Amino acid sequence: MQDPPLLKRNQKGCVTILRGLAVAFGLLLVIAGPVLLVFQPKSQAGWATMFAGLIFMVASRFEEIQEIGLASFSAKMFERRVGRAEDAIQNIKRLAKESSRLALASIQFAGRMGGFTDEYKTRVLTDTRRLLDDLDITEEEIAEVESLWHAAVEFDYAHWTLGQSKVPKDLPQEFRPRWDSLRGGGVEGRAKPEEIRVLLSDADMLTPERDEILKDYEYYVATRQHRREEAWRRRREQN
């Protein structure tokens, strides 16, 4: 009985010979086709001969065509895997955005009377921005993630301007309902700088100090930065 490796080599040799014969025969037919067209111009024999030759030549490379087809299929499978990987990356980005948003909100809303220091909050915000930037999250998406964070800061500015936890001594009694209304909306219904400025002006309470705080508030709304960093850190000491 013939050795399997030797049998495979013999089979491969036979295939090579047959492939060569098919190419040679096909080439011969392709060459013969024009000759037949010269001697029999009204006959279709020449075209048929050339067509048959091409069939023989293509058939001799059938295995390679199969390999090309398999390569194309592999490429499509690879593209499909790449597409799935890209979808996974998008999911990771969405997860990072949502986790960051909730983390920032939980830190900002936890322990409103005291809680984390401003230095710690700033460090968390900076680190989160860096993480999102490394994940190629856009500036618009980062702003969306930080929306609750900034809303809480704006609430703190409004609360600071209106006296924080104390009723201002110079608040006229008739303006108390308006003052309570501006303070009663929580973070979502926080008072805007212009609303506070109108109240303070009407009540003749717009002191230089409160005017500076309102300017700080307006600056933060416009830039998402603190205009007077030190004053912001010491805001709870001023009452």
Side-chain angles (χ1 to χ4, degrees):
M1 187 173 181
Q2 196 170 24
D3 183 65
L6 180 61
L7 178 61
K8 289 182 179 179
R9 285 197 296 271
N10 290 338
Q11 289 176 341
K12 188 175 181 180
C14 291
V15 169
T16 302
I17 294 172
L18 291 174
R19 182 182 295 172
L21 291 174
V23 171
F25 186 67
L27 183 59
L28 180 61
L29 292 177
V30 170
I31 294 172
V35 176
L36 290 175
L37 286 175
V38 171
F39 291 97
Q40 298 181 10
K42 296 182 180 181
S43 173
Q44 301 298 321
W47 293 110
T49 300
M50 284 190 288
F51 186 73
L54 291 173
I55 291 176
F56 270 91
M57 295 178 69
V58 170
S60 69
R61 298 296 176 183
F62 182 72
E63 289 184 1
E64 293 180 6
I65 294 172
Q66 280 186 312
E67 291 178 2
I68 293 173
L70 289 173
S72 177
F73 177 77
S74 299
K76 290 181 180 178
M77 291 296 294
F78 177 76
E79 290 175 357
R80 190 172 301 172
R81 292 193 187 99
V82 169
R84 290 176 180 173
E86 290 175 347
D87 290 340
I89 290 172
Q90 292 301 320
N91 290 335
I92 291 172
K93 286 185 176 182
R94 283 194 291 271
L95 176 61
K97 286 169 54 182
E98 186 64 18
S99 299
S100 299
R101 185 183 71 83
L102 294 176
L104 292 176
S106 64
I107 289 174
Q108 190 59 264
F109 283 92
R112 296 301 299 169
M113 301 302 292
F116 297 100
T117 64
D118 290 321
E119 291 80 1
Y120 179 77
K121 291 179 182 180
T122 300
R123 185 166 68 252
V124 171
L125 178 62
T126 302
D127 291 345
T128 301
R129 283 177 177 171
R130 185 180 299 113
L131 169 64
L132 295 176
D133 186 63
D134 290 342
L135 288 170
D136 292 329
I137 304 297
T138 65
E139 289 294 329
E140 292 77 12
E141 291 172 321
I142 292 176
E144 178 187 348
V145 168
E146 296 178 353
S147 59
L148 290 177
W149 177 279
H150 296 308
V153 174
E154 291 178 11
F155 171 81
D156 285 344
Y157 269 114
H159 199 63
W160 180 17
T161 312
L162 292 169
Q164 301 198 81
S165 59
K166 299 179 182 179
V167 178
K169 295 179 180 180
D170 56 344
L171 176 67
Q173 189 61 33
E174 62 269 25
F175 287 93
R176 179 64 185 268
R178 288 175 60 182
W179 182 83
D180 287 335
S181 176
L182 291 180
R183 287 173 54 89
V187 174
E188 185 175 355
R190 61 195 178 279
K192 304 301 182 184
E194 56 273 19
E195 295 174 326
I196 299 174
R197 188 176 292 279
V198 169
L199 169 65
L200 296 179
S201 297
D202 291 347
D204 197 21
M205 296 173 60
L206 190 57
T207 63
E209 180 182 356
R210 288 176 180 139
D211 185 56
E212 286 298 312
I213 298 173
L214 278 174
K215 289 178 180 177
D216 294 340
Y217 187 2
E218 291 164 345
Y219 183 84
Y220 188 85
V221 171
T223 68
R224 295 310 184 205
Q225 301 292 328
H226 296 295
R227 174 172 166 263
R228 296 182 300 159
E229 188 74 38
E230 186 60 29
W232 166 257
R233 291 178 181 174
R234 298 180 55 192
R235 66 189 180 280
R236 295 187 182 92
E237 304 173 8
Q238 300 174 17
N239 282 311

